[in-house]
Amino acid sequence: MKDLKSKYEPDKVISAIEENFVIHKFKLISLLSIDSCPLSKYKQERQMSFLESDGPDDEELVKEVANTLHDAIYFMTLSKKKRTSVTQKMRSFAIDLIDSQLGRIKLFSEDMLLELPFSTKKDVEKPQILNEVIDVLGCIESGLEIEKSYWENIPRAGYLSGLQVSMGKFFVKLNQIGMSQKDQITLVQQILDEFKVDWQEGARENIKFLFSYLLWKY
């Protein structure tokens, strides 16, 4: 783990994400609070639905939506070149980290030292707890294999890939409050424009396609 951290420096990225969100949080909340933002109509509807309860008010909803963009705002403020570089680096780190964890599980599971106290006594069974530990490790291994497959099957990391991965919670939240696909696309475009995301004018249709895909996925 120490070698992987030294190679990929994930802590630096995490720190940069935290610092970036602190810097831009007010700007994001201000954007989400204006009347021209598609979120405004859903804030009102949500407030009415909680009229006779102790539900969250408009300000809390704005903060909830803003917090789902905690990681994404970092990628929005990077240049295309830097965004691509960070995405590729973190993707490689994730895959190598999972491989390292899988290797450790395999080494532990196949280590015959675990059975030494029982291997010379045929009439003594391995304790149940040892079998349970091996079963748990098997479940963890399966989960890690699924996670590895996810990272490996992500399309080749490009300048929008970081946004694609980091905006998942954002779209889940918008779907939870019942925002239409049209309003979601409009909201995304407003946010990208506000943070001056580095893309070419001719790539706007591709971006619409990308976020349409994200809306379908989440």
Side-chain angles (χ1 to χ4, degrees):
M1 182 64 176
K2 186 176 180 180
D3 291 340
L4 289 178
K5 282 192 171 184
S6 176
K7 179 179 180 180
Y8 294 108
E9 301 179 316
D11 292 338
K12 287 187 177 180
V13 175
I14 293 173
S15 296
I17 289 174
E18 292 291 342
E19 293 174 6
N20 189 278
F21 187 68
V22 171
I23 293 172
H24 295 99
K25 185 175 182 179
F26 178 77
K27 181 179 181 179
L28 176 61
I29 289 177
S30 296
L31 171 63
L32 296 175
S33 301
I34 60 177
D35 292 339
S36 60
C37 175
L39 186 61
S40 61
K41 67 178 75 172
Y42 298 91
K43 289 188 297 183
Q44 295 167 1
E45 291 174 1
R46 174 166 165 162
Q47 189 177 48
M48 290 180 64
S49 68
F50 285 99
L51 195 58
E52 298 179 355
S53 68
D54 295 324
D57 57 18
D58 287 359
E59 183 178 347
E60 289 177 339
L61 177 58
V62 167
K63 289 180 179 178
E64 288 174 9
V65 174
N67 286 335
T68 65
L69 292 169
H70 179 278
D71 297 351
I73 293 300
Y74 168 70
F75 288 100
M76 291 182 191
T77 57
L78 299 178
S79 66
K80 285 195 294 187
K81 182 178 180 180
K82 180 65 174 177
R83 195 182 309 132
T84 302
S85 174
V86 171
T87 301
Q88 291 174 340
K89 195 172 184 180
M90 291 303 97
R91 180 176 182 270
S92 297
F93 170 69
I95 293 174
D96 285 355
L97 178 60
I98 292 171
D99 280 338
S100 174
Q101 293 170 332
L102 286 171
R104 294 172 68 181
I105 290 175
K106 183 177 181 180
L107 181 64
F108 183 84
S109 299
E110 296 178 353
D111 192 344
M112 296 305 295
L113 287 175
L114 290 173
E115 299 186 14
L116 278 181
F118 314 99
S119 60
T120 58
K121 299 180 180 180
K122 296 182 179 180
D123 57 335
V124 178
E125 295 183 357
K126 288 186 293 185
Q128 181 62 27
I129 190 171
L130 181 56
N131 292 325
E132 291 176 355
V133 168
I134 293 176
D135 288 342
V136 169
L137 289 176
C139 292
I140 295 174
E141 183 178 16
S142 297
L144 289 172
E145 291 287 1
I146 293 173
E147 183 73 9
K148 181 180 178 181
S149 177
Y150 164 77
W151 284 106
E152 289 180 337
N153 289 321
I154 289 178
R156 186 178 65 85
Y159 74 96
L160 289 176
S161 299
L163 288 176
Q164 177 180 333
V165 173
S166 63
M167 293 186 76
K169 291 182 180 179
F170 172 71
F171 284 105
V172 168
K173 186 64 181 180
L174 297 187
N175 287 331
Q176 286 176 345
I177 65 175
M179 183 175 288
S180 69
Q181 186 176 101
K182 179 181 178 181
D183 284 342
Q184 289 189 36
I185 292 175
T186 299
L187 176 56
V188 168
Q189 289 180 319
Q190 286 183 349
I191 294 172
L192 296 181
D193 288 340
E194 181 69 21
F195 285 90
K196 298 179 174 59
V197 176
D198 184 9
W199 75 58
Q200 296 177 352
E201 189 68 24
R204 287 181 181 269
E205 290 303 317
N206 291 332
I207 290 173
K208 287 183 180 180
F209 173 79
L210 169 64
F211 287 109
S212 293
Y213 163 76
L214 286 173
L215 294 176
W216 167 80
K217 181 177 180 182
Y218 294 104

